[in-house]
Amino acid sequence: MNELIESLRGTLIVSCQAYPGEPMRNPETMAQIAAAAEIGGASAIRCQGLSDISAIKGRVKIPIIGLWKEGEHGVYITPTLRHARACSLAGADIVAIDATNRPRPDGRTYAETVAALKEDGILVMADCGSFEDAQMAVAAGSDIISTTLAGYTPDRPKTFGPDLELLSQIAQAFPQVPLICEGRIHTPEHAAEAMEAGAFAVVVGTAITHPTSITGWFNDAVTATKNEK
């Protein structure tokens, strides 16, 4: 196994992303958050956009999993080979791409995209939404598979926490490929459950790096209690 990927075994990866229009949508801000996550023990940073990848790469010593979101529907996580190569050039050590079977803007299949990236020597993380996606990703030679899109495509219902059923199913079927659990890991208990279900590593984003959502969780709890009185 690749030495960089092996270094992620049994660790926490932190996703540092801000959405368009949010106050924290700034490469320097994301770089500062990434540096704080590194101090806290993160083994790698997952981040979005060329500016953020570049800024974070210059601030931390741990690996960068880069992606480029474009669009809002269909394949929008690093949707084309061009996007993937740009992420690598910006400083991503691993490039995350949509690993569903949906049509891609450049007309390439997932397997064709991975084959081209492998020729470039680029490590690929496959963002899957179903068991069939994982099966396709493994067949294509993906370096890492993940549950990132579970619940965000029509193939799986959106679970309250991580989709542990899917995680366990993939882990049992493809033990030879590093499997990362990503998506709706909101508590340390969720992270521990994911590891117990067979995850190679876990990615936590919102619960660590998105204060708007975290504030909303606490606000809902407080106001709910107030309304009960």
Side-chain angles (χ1 to χ4, degrees), residues 89-152:
L89 290 171
D93 300 287
I94 300 168
V95 176
I97 65 177
D98 180 302
T100 67
N101 202 29
R102 297 175 293 184
R104 298 170 194 278
D106 61 3
R108 289 183 172 87
T109 65
Y110 176 79
E112 289 169 343
T113 302
V114 172
L117 293 174
K118 300 292 278 186
E119 287 183 4
D120 294 342
I122 296 173
L123 296 174
V124 176
M125 176 174 173
D127 287 354
C128 303
S130 67
F131 179 82
E132 290 73 23
D133 291 345
Q135 195 170 34
M136 177 184 69
V138 171
S142 307
D143 299 286
I144 300 170
I145 50 179
S146 73
T147 60
T148 307
L149 291 172
Y152 299 104

Side-chain angles (χ1 to χ4, degrees), residues 15-19 22 30 46-48 67 69 209-210:
S15 178
C16 297
Q17 300 183 44
Y19 301 101
E22 293 185 337
M30 290 295 101
R46 179 171 161 120
C47 57
Q48 187 286 128
L67 58 134
K69 291 181 180 177
T209 63
H210 198 251

